[in-house]
Each structure stands twice: as structure tokens, then as C-alpha cells.
Amino acid sequence: MRHGLADHCRSTAWWAARFADSFGAGELAYAVGLFHDAGKASCEWQDRLALVDGTRARVGIPHKEFGSRLLAPVAGAAALTVLGHHGGLTNVSRMRDVLRSPMDVADAQTAERFWRAVPEATAVLSGRSLLPSAWDGEDAWVREMRVRMLFSALVDADHLDTAAHRAGLAGPQVAAPTDMDGLVALFEARRHERISGKATEIGGLRSEVYQAAVAAAGREPGIFRLAAPTGLGKTLAQAGFGLHHARAHGKSRVVIAVPFITITEQNAAVYREMLDTEGRSVVLEHHSGVRFREHDEDGRSEDAADRWARLAAENWDAPFVVTTTVQLFESLFGRKPTQVRKLHRLANAVLILDEVQALPARLLLPILDGLRVLTEQFNTTVLLTSATQPDFESLSVWNEAGRSGARLNIREVISEPQSLFTRARRVRYEWRLDPKPTWQEVADEVGGLGQALVVVNSIADAGELYRLLADRRADVWHLSTMMCPQHRRGALERITERIRTGQPIIVVSTPLIEAGVDLSFPVVWRAIAPADSLQQAGGRANRGGEYPDGGLVVIFDPAGGRAPADYATPSELAVSCFGPAGPDLDDQDALAGYYRQLYDRLGLDNQTVNRSKETVGQTIQNNRAKMDYLAVADGPEAGSGHRDPKRAFRMITDDTVPIVVVDDQHQHRIESWLAELAAGTVAAAAALRELQPWIVQLRRSTAARPEIAGLIDNVVGDLGRWKGTYDWNPSTCRGSGIVTTMPETVF
């Protein structure tokens, strides 16, 4: 059944306006929705549509330029949303090129056809500016973000209406407003059940943190900071803050973003236990590793919960969202419709950034500015949680007076965090920097312990130490990204069980274990690293106060140790600011001083007139000010039609390729999914989602080496199938994953 142009434009306009009402741009959103497909009224487009009807071919005739050209006189730069509603936001230069193209006879005929189909559209072009009065006089970064949010409302409305028509529905299916009173009551009841009968010293501190979070939730919206030691229940405290704050201030949803997929999965499971009920899904987990089942193994269609999760993930139409910081910020500074359509859900929401110390320093200027704009212009409340809170106020985007003329006011959830850190101290630190121990010396000492964790900075170091320890005892486990996610989960389950039952165990891991993984060892060895990583590693020692004598954290500088290049400066500062004779790593004043020195050494706020000497963050901010969405997302022009991706907004800079590991226990299913991908069938997208647990991201330079390339069969695009050695024992859940001889530093 054909989808009428007038019906589609009106529906898109209505829903776009509804979405944008939350940030005061409803009338403008209605206009861009009404005009976004005006170009499809052309005879040429309609004739081509009739020709390809019933086939899988595209119409292939541009139509977005027409609507943007009509709207530009009354919508200004907001017309970029119409121009980009299929391919993505571009820049004002592209808009100027479109406007320079004069209207011809065919365009006039298209306009007449559109007016006849949608007569109310003529009133939109009455000459009055459609831009809300609040947009007048705002700085460039606010305007840039307003257009992003408007674009999000448009493309989400467009996608929802099209999907509803294809499904034979009367209109878009959108979740009803959330009953926050009910969610808070359920959360509190289940939390009470969870903590009952656990009266311990650590339990008392956790209760103190939780009560402080709930009390802070009643304060006025803005930016909040929760600084609390590891192991004191931030997972529940931040959710409690989000739900209570949403109820108190009429917020539409809670969005929690964490830096690693492993933590996302772990936290989402906790929140589902707290909020989901039989027959009703509340918590949406959204990241690159999530699989949304469309058909089960017997060929039956997806159930209601799976369908809800798959559809809600496209636009975060859920009361409680758990995602990654990569997904969040690459959407916030992206330009493609699939990335950006969820952004309008951040307006009038509670946004919680967990383990905020893991945000990449090179991108802090745009990230912090974006958060400030969300809070000041879009009624978003932001909560920053970490045991190692960075001193963001030392950077210009938070240190200077804002758009209202007032300085940024950060509300502390814990009024005197140092007292809490002192009372919660459960470990002592021992520094082994000179002489530098060899890996053999580390293995000899650690190998004599009952239970211990060793965290090193590179995959190569983890592999070397794991082999040395595995040669002398059988209870050694390895964790790194050379293992596929499915096997890491299996290893963590086995590790957790052995720790819980008091069995001997040594774990060698890259830093992926440091944040959010709920494991507790009596002894932790940590290779020298940035101060926040050292303290996070300390959070895996005596985490719950299980060891009466306290935990021990040994900080060592291994001879021949390898680490990412960007570890050099912060590791050096960690030694100079804390070191063997310095203050404790949880000293809040010393930590703030460490971050101030770090940001200064990295030159994040350097003032320079030479654009070639700008930091990446400054380049992104300058391109945002010019409303050059292409340059922000893909990098500035670098000549010969190329762009420089190193100066684009990229949360992850490592250039990797996805490699599928064919697990013997699941070989039939994996091979079937690979065949779907290779054949390009309609089930290919679902197959790729199903393969996520068996994909290892291998550095591209490693994959290109002749001896490694010969071990990879190309499937489709960059996706390869691993034929080489994969170290894994399914009966013990031990192994180091993909085996290469290339030193790696990817976590």
C-alpha cells in the first residue's frame, strides 16, 4: 500500500513538534517535518517511484534540497535538518551551495503540486522567522546543539512514521509517559530486599552514600557530582538519584552511560532486577554488543520483550536506558540520522555518567561544553560519578561564565567526600619502582600467593606474565580483549566463583577489569599507570572489607613493560604527585592538583592563533562554532577530497578490524550467521548482532601483517574469520584468546 505524501509529511511534522516541544522548538520542528519531503512532489521523483515500485531498487533522485531551499528564508541554518534528513548533517557551506541554485520551471511545478497536497504549508512561509526567540543572540555552540536536537526530532519522527506505515499501523508507536512514582516505589522496595540482613561497616557506608544521593535528588536540576570510594554502592546510588530526581522534577527518563561494555552489561542486569517486572520491560540496554533477537533457534518470531528492546534502542524510547559513553557521545557529536535520532530523548532527562574519569582527555572540551549546553538549554540534569573525580572546573568551558552570565555551579552529592574516603580506606599501597622488577620476578612473587590480581598495561605484557604463571600453577586466569566477549564472561564467572568459595586463584588482566567489575582480592599488583587507574585497581582489593588485615596494592614499574603512548605523562605525574612518600591516592586535594597539572601538560586549553597547533578538542570546538557537522564527525578537510579523521570526534582512536572466533561449542550457529553475512541476505543484520559475542577487535596494523593476514578469511567488508591459534579451554574457561606475536596495547 502506497504511503501518501501529505499523510507522511503531516504525521512527521506532528511528531517532530511533539518531540521538540520539550526544548521549546515545537513550531520550528513542525515546519521542518512538513517540508522535509516536499521534493517528492516532483513529477520526476513520482515517475521514478512508479518505475521501481515492487522492486528493492532505490528511487535515486535527490529530493531533500528542494524542501531545504524553500524553508531557508524563514528557518535559517535550521534548514540544514531537511537537507540532511537522509545522508546526515553537513555544513552551512553546503546549504549556501543549495541556495545559490535558482528555482527553475520544474521547481515551480513541484511547489504547486506540494501546495495542493499540503495547503497548510503555504502559511509556514509567510515571512515571519520560525526560529524561537530564545535562539536570538546565543553563542555558536548553543546554536550548533539546537540544530542537532532539532535534527534528532525530525529524523526520529520520519523513521517512526515510515516504520508504522510499513507495519500496517495507524501511526507511530511511542511509549506512554513514565510512571516515575511507581518506578521509585518498586526500586526502593527491591533495594530494601537486596540489602536486608547485611549490617556491616561497609554496608553502613553504602547506606550513607545512598541516602546522600536521594537527598541530593531533591535539589534543583543542573550538574551534580558524586565522589565516593569504589565498592560503596555507586551502582544503586546513582540509579536512586536518577529516579528520585526524575520524580521530583518531572523528568522523562534516566540515561546511564558507562565507559566499558562489560560494565554496561553488569549494571544493566542489576537495574533489570530492580525495575523490570514480568510482562513489562523498563530497562533498555544499548551498546554495540547487544543482540536483539528477531527469531529464535526454532524459527519463532521475537517475543514482545525482544521487539521492544530492538525498537526502543533506535531512539531510546524507554524510561531507563543503560548505554556506553562511546554510544552517547558519538551520537551527541555525530551527524548521521541513525546516530542522532535518539538525542532529543536527552532533553528533560537525567543523564548519569559513570566512571567519568575514563572520558578521553583529548575530547574534554567538546564533551564538557556539550554537557553544559544540555543542562543550561535543554533542562537536562547531569550526574558525574567516580571514585577519582577529575577537576573539570579547571578547564575553560566550565571555568568561565556561561550563557546566563553566571559561573557553572556543580552540586556535590557528598558534601565532604574526603571524610568518606578516609573512613572507607581498606587498602595500603606499596611502591616498587626502583629497581624495576622483571616479569620473572613478578611471577615468582605473585605465584606464591593464594589469591591475587595483577593488572598490566598491554595485551603483550598480560600474555607474557600469564604464560610464566601458568607454567608453575594451574589456577591462573587471563583477561584481555584478545578473548571474545563470550569467553571473557565465562572466565569472569569462573573467577568470581573461585573467589567466593575461597579457592586459590591468580588473575592476570589488562585494565578492562578495573572499572565496575565486582571482584575482591587480598592482594593486587598494578603496573605503573595514571593515578585514576591506580586507585581503580585498588578498588579490586578488599572491596567489601572481607580481609581483617586490609588489602595490599603493590604498584610496580616492570622492566620492559609496555603501555599506550598516552600513559606516559599521567603515569609520570602519578609518581610525582603521590609516589612512595606522597599523599594517599584517595586524597581529594592531591587528586585535583594532579588533574590540573595533567590538563596543563596536555595543553588542552592552550591559546594559539596557529590552527595547526590546536588540540583535537579545540579543532572540534572551532568546527562546531562554524556549524560544520561534517568536520566535527569526519574530520576537517585535508586536501584532495580527503578528511583528517584524527581531528574528528572519535571516542576510540585505535584502528581495529572485527575478527570472528569460531567457538567449537557454537560452530554450527556461527558458521550459519557468517554464511548469511557473506550472502548478503535479509537476515544479515540480525546475523551480525548474533555474532557480537564472538568478535575480537584486532588492531588493523596487526591484521595486515603477512603472517597474520594469512590466518584471516574475509567474510564481508572488514569482518574476518580467524583461522589461527585461539587459546581457550572451555572446560576450565582459561586461555589468552587470539595468539599473535605482535606487541599490543589495546585494552
Side-chain angles (χ1 to χ4, degrees), residues 509-577:
S509 177
T510 58
L512 65 82
I513 200 172
E514 286 181 342
V517 178
D518 194 9
L519 296 175
S520 182
F521 295 83
V523 179
V524 172
W525 281 56
R526 181 54 169 103
I528 190 66
D532 55 290
S533 292
L534 299 180
Q535 192 175 341
Q536 291 291 334
R540 306 318 118 190
N542 197 26
R543 186 173 176 83
E546 306 93 337
Y547 305 102
D549 296 333
L552 171 64
V553 180
V554 178
I555 300 172
F556 68 106
D557 189 3
R562 288 152 286 202
D566 59 4
Y567 265 34
T569 297
S571 296
E572 177 188 329
L573 283 172
V575 175
S576 64
C577 291

Side-chain angles (χ1 to χ4, degrees), residues 144-167:
E144 190 259 7
M145 189 62 72
R146 287 198 184 280
V147 170
R148 286 185 184 279
M149 296 291 269
L150 181 71
F151 182 62
S152 172
L154 169 63
V155 296
D156 192 25
D158 186 18
H159 279 74
L160 286 171
D161 185 68
T162 299
H165 174 77
R166 288 175 177 169

Side-chain angles (χ1 to χ4, degrees), residues 12 14 21 66 87 96 104 126 161 163 196 274 287 294 305 313 348 358-359 361 393 453 521 541 561 564 653:
T12 300
W14 192 90
D21 273 340
F66 182 77
R96 291 191 192 103
D104 56 21
S126 61
D161 185 68
S196 61
M274 304 294 289
H287 53 75
E294 296 179 55
N348 194 40
L359 292 174
E393 304 96 302
L453 166 67
F521 295 83
T653 57

Side-chain angles (χ1 to χ4, degrees), residues 282-571:
V282 170
V283 178
L284 170 68
E285 180 183 355
H286 185 211
H287 53 75
S288 62
V290 172
R291 295 173 293 153
F292 301 118
R293 185 182 64 192
E294 296 179 55
H295 298 281
D296 63 20
E297 293 179 24
D298 297 322
R300 294 188 297 268
S301 296
E302 63 186 347
D303 59 27
D306 281 334
R307 184 175 187 276
W308 171 83
R310 179 171 58 81
L311 297 177
E314 297 172 357
N315 65 353
W316 289 355
D317 189 13
F320 200 101
V321 180
V322 185
T323 188
T324 61
T325 50
V326 172
Q327 182 77 238
L328 171 68
F329 289 113
E330 292 205 347
S331 294
L332 189 62
F333 295 103
R335 69 180 195 88
K336 294 291 188 179
T338 51
Q339 290 176 299
V340 180
R341 63 177 291 200
K342 63 181 78 72
L343 288 188
H344 68 89
R345 302 290 182 184
L346 295 177
N348 194 40
V350 183
L351 174 59
I352 299 170
L353 301 181
D354 195 3
E355 305 293 358
V356 72
Q357 80 286 344
L359 292 174
R362 71 185 188 284
L363 299 178
L364 282 179
L365 291 187
I367 285 175
L368 296 180
D369 186 64
L371 293 175
R372 185 169 187 170
V373 172
L374 286 176
T375 59
E376 293 180 343
Q377 306 296 328
F378 296 93
N379 198 31
T380 307
T381 286
V382 173
L383 173 66
L384 311 173
T385 72
S386 175
T388 51
Q389 284 283 351
D391 188 42
F392 290 149
E393 304 96 302
S394 64
L395 293 172
S396 60
V397 289
W398 276 19
N399 188 38
E400 297 171 353
R403 283 84 189 176
S404 65
R407 291 193 176 277
L408 190 64
N409 176 27
I410 300 178
R411 301 161 173 85
E412 299 287 353
V413 172
I414 306 290
S415 58
E416 295 183 6
Q418 186 59 65
S419 172
L420 181 65
F421 277 90
T422 301
R423 287 182 289 133
R425 198 169 288 156
R426 307 182 298 281
V427 303
R428 67 186 189 280
Y429 290 90
E430 182 179 304
W431 297 73
R432 305 268 193 94
L433 306 180
D434 188 20
K436 296 183 178 183
T438 65
W439 289 120
Q440 185 62 62
E441 289 170 337
V442 173
D444 289 343
E445 187 166 349
V446 171
L449 301 172
Q451 291 185 344
L453 166 67
V454 185
V455 184
V456 297
N457 294 324
S458 74
I459 290 169
D461 287 354
E464 182 174 349
L465 183 58
Y466 172 69
R467 287 187 291 273
L468 288 171
L469 284 163
D471 284 344
R472 62 182 293 163
R473 52 192 288 181
D475 51 5
V476 182
W477 270 259
H478 167 279
L479 290 170
S480 80
T481 53
M482 286 297 97
M483 303 160 64
C484 66
Q486 183 79 359
H487 294 161
R488 285 204 304 272
R489 280 193 287 268
L492 279 168
E493 289 173 3
R494 191 65 59 91
I495 292 165
T496 301
E497 177 63 17
R498 290 186 72 89
I499 293 173
R500 186 185 66 81
T501 56
Q503 299 179 66
I505 184 171
I506 304 295
V507 178
V508 179
S509 177
T510 58
L512 65 82
I513 200 172
E514 286 181 342
V517 178
D518 194 9
L519 296 175
S520 182
F521 295 83
V523 179
V524 172
W525 281 56
R526 181 54 169 103
I528 190 66
D532 55 290
S533 292
L534 299 180
Q535 192 175 341
Q536 291 291 334
R540 306 318 118 190
N542 197 26
R543 186 173 176 83
E546 306 93 337
Y547 305 102
D549 296 333
L552 171 64
V553 180
V554 178
I555 300 172
F556 68 106
D557 189 3
R562 288 152 286 202
D566 59 4
Y567 265 34
T569 297
S571 296

Side-chain angles (χ1 to χ4, degrees), residues 361-362 566 569-570 597-606 615:
R362 71 185 188 284
D566 59 4
T569 297
Q597 290 186 59
L598 177 61
Y599 298 156
D600 184 62
R601 289 274 293 273
L602 295 177
L604 299 188
D605 259 338
N606 281 352
T615 63

Side-chain angles (χ1 to χ4, degrees), residues 9 81 115 146 208 229 277 331 336 397 722 739:
C9 288
T81 61
W115 306 141
R146 287 198 184 280
E208 183 179 329
T277 58
S331 294
K336 294 291 188 179
V397 289
W722 181 248
V739 177

